[in-house]
Amino acid sequence: MDKQTVFHMDQENYLPVFARYQVVLETGEGPYVYDNEGKKYIDFLGGIAVNVLGHAHPKLVKAVADQAGKIIHCSNLYYTEEQARLAKTLAALSGLDKVFVGNSGAEANEGAIKLARKYGKTIAADKVEIITAEHSFHGRTLATLTATGQPKYQKGYEPLPGGFKHVPFNDIAALKQSMSDKTCAVMLEPIQGEGGVNIPDPDYFTEVRALCDTYGALLILDEIQTGMGRTGKMFAYEHLGIKPDIVTLAKGLAGGVPIGAFIATDKAAAAFGPGDHGSTFGGNPLACAAANAVLKVIEDEKLLNNAQAMGEYLVTKLNALKGKYPALITAVRGKGLIVGAKLTRPGRDIVNECMKEGAIINCTAGDVLRFVPPLNITKAHVDEVIEILDAALAAV
Ligand SMILES: *Cc1c(COP(=O)(O)O)cnc(C)c1O
């Protein structure tokens, strides 16, 4: 089907909530995607931090195909080996205890919010407040867009659920002032992804953890974007020397198959019993088999080391571009393979220019070019993107 026909069909019948680029993607292999006219792009957006193994990784393809041939779905009224195996692996990797699997990031956060509320009520009837950060992103459901500290995601959806407060990120004094015995949880991203790749001071999270302990509040870390090896460790909190009470995951967890999960300590998880939470599709054997395959490949192919090394290489290369275009790039920041380049102006035309020349990146928070490529990229892939970006910066 030609491009124009697809555009037309989509514009007639798909809800127009996305500002799409004028491209119809068809296939992918490794860090490359191809459109339906055969044009090749190097993909450093990876479905927004989702395709951690790149596209069509043979081990992931085989796991999904094999599982689809056995059983795709069965109700959570029954056990499956794939789900039990995933729970065991995630608990061991995280150092936490109990896992719940859903279908998306927003759902993972909804589950974490629900658990925090139930937990708070085991202590006091009014221990229900959840504190999150400005410029955060936690999802698009009514509770998670309320948790999200960006008014643009909330406008028009009032009345919003109550009990949420927002404080500036990386400001321990502001958090301290907002906390009380009514706080049941503090929910934060270790690095704000959608907010512009914002990295807090090294001791911020140590102090957040201490405040949560002082007030008996749970610390929920939203690692939907930073988890699954993205920062060079399986979970970003491993860099911080702290442990959360709940961590949420989604994006990279099953390498592109829809999934979300939260992992909680036994202490927090004890607030949930049979009937308190659930999902029809969540934790189905297809998604769990995909996640199990992704986790195995991350280990077998030593992708944590690679993410760290390639992240450092990418940051070095971007800093060279910052030196070359000081009027355009003012800062480069990142941890492993979540990297941002702060611009002096909106970045959309730079992204468009890169696409024209065959590289997919994106711009978040208006003026931060974001790079969240597959974890198995090589230096040659980085060089390829940098060369295209260099030309794009020269062109704008
Ligand atoms: C993407 C994202 C979400 C939402 O995930 P969905 O699967 O789109 O619901 C939540 N939190 C963070 C940090 C994210 O990056």
Side-chain angles (χ1 to χ4, degrees):
M1 196 180 283
D2 73 281
K3 202 161 112 169
Q4 293 306 327
T5 311
V6 176
F7 293 165
H8 185 72
M9 278 168 53
D10 184 276
Q11 284 155 15
E12 288 279 294
N13 294 118
Y14 201 88
L15 200 70
V17 294
F18 299 105
R20 299 195 204 266
Y21 294 97
Q22 298 299 295
V23 170
V24 181
L25 295 180
E26 203 163 67
T27 57
E29 194 181 7
Y32 296 100
V33 289
Y34 298 82
D35 70 16
N36 72 339
E37 295 174 332
K39 181 169 169 180
K40 181 181 182 181
Y41 303 83
I42 183 152
D43 179 10
F44 265 39
L45 182 59
I48 313 189
V50 167
N51 302 107
V52 286
L53 306 186
H55 300 275
H57 190 290
K59 296 258 171 66
L60 178 56
V61 170
K62 185 172 186 316
V64 170
D66 286 355
Q67 188 59 47
K70 284 193 218 162
I71 186 168
I72 291 176
H73 172 82
C74 67
S75 166
N76 277 307
L77 296 173
Y78 312 97
Y79 294 93
T80 67
E81 184 181 322
E82 292 298 336
Q83 190 185 92
R85 193 190 296 281
L86 178 59
K88 183 180 161 70
T89 308
L90 288 178
L93 288 169
S94 65
L96 306 176
D97 304 303
K98 295 289 193 288
V99 176
F100 182 86
V101 186
N103 308 286
S104 69
E107 253 187 83
N109 284 339
E110 282 274 344
I113 289 166
K114 285 175 68 181
L115 180 58
R117 284 273 170 84
K118 276 256 181 190
Y119 173 83
K121 288 191 179 159
T122 64
I123 298 167
D126 64 349
K127 195 173 179 61
V128 297
E129 278 181 6
I130 294 168
I131 303 176
T132 70
E134 290 168 9
H135 304 293
S136 61
F137 184 78
H138 298 297
R140 302 280 201 153
T141 63
L142 212 44
T144 58
L145 71 80
T146 305
T148 293
Q150 301 193 54
K152 68 174 179 183
Y153 293 107
Q154 299 166 345
K155 210 168 159 278
Y157 300 115
E158 303 84 357
L160 302 177
F164 289 88
K165 280 194 202 169
H166 304 100
V167 296
F169 188 55
N170 195 28
D171 181 341
I172 200 71
L175 180 64
K176 193 169 184 178
Q177 214 170 32
S178 296
M179 286 190 77
S180 72
D181 289 335
K182 290 187 182 163
T183 311
C184 71
V186 174
M187 178 156 119
L188 297 166
E189 297 155 88
I191 295 172
Q192 291 187 328
E194 300 308 301
V197 191
N198 302 323
I199 303 178
D201 296 336
D203 51 358
Y204 175 64
F205 273 99
T206 324
E207 298 180 52
V208 171
R209 177 71 268 181
L211 276 178
C212 286
D213 292 341
T214 301
Y215 287 99
L218 300 178
L219 175 57
I220 303 171
L221 289 183
D222 177 344
E223 293 235 23
I224 287 165
Q225 192 157 157
T226 55
M228 300 309 294
R230 174 64 46 200
T231 66
K233 300 221 185 250
M234 190 57 81
F235 304 98
Y237 65 77
E238 295 172 64
H239 296 285
L240 304 172
I242 58 148
K243 241 169 68 176
D245 301 286
I246 306 177
V247 62
T248 59
L249 297 173
K251 294 201 161 81
L253 178 53
V257 176
I259 195 168
F262 65 87
I263 319 171
T265 59
D266 273 328
K267 188 177 144 199
F272 268 0
D276 285 340
H277 194 51
S279 170
T280 297
F281 289 123
N284 67 76
L286 186 76
C288 290
N292 287 327
V294 167
L295 286 161
K296 184 156 184 346
V297 171
I298 288 176
E299 189 185 345
D300 290 351
E301 298 184 8
K302 301 188 168 49
L303 296 186
L304 301 184
N305 290 343
N306 195 62
Q308 189 190 322
M310 290 307 110
E312 282 166 13
Y313 185 65
L314 176 58
V315 165
T316 305
K317 288 283 174 173
L318 286 170
N319 271 321
L321 288 184
K322 173 174 165 262
K324 190 167 169 187
Y325 302 99
L328 283 174
I329 301 179
T330 57
V332 175
R333 54 203 185 215
K335 191 101 192 155
L337 284 172
I338 175 168
V339 176
K342 172 96 171 148
L343 303 169
T344 52
R345 60 206 271 301
R348 192 156 171 113
D349 59 337
I350 297 171
V351 170
N352 274 322
E353 194 61 33
C354 286
M355 277 209 78
K356 245 198 292 178
E357 298 309 317
I360 293 180
I361 58 171
N362 97 321
C363 181
T364 188
D367 60 0
V368 178
L369 297 179
R370 178 176 43 173
F371 307 84
V372 279
L375 306 184
N376 54 4
I377 54 164
T378 64
K379 282 188 172 181
H381 297 132
V382 174
D383 291 341
E384 201 177 328
V385 167
I386 290 294
E387 193 178 320
I388 291 171
L389 180 59
D390 190 347
L393 291 167
V396 298

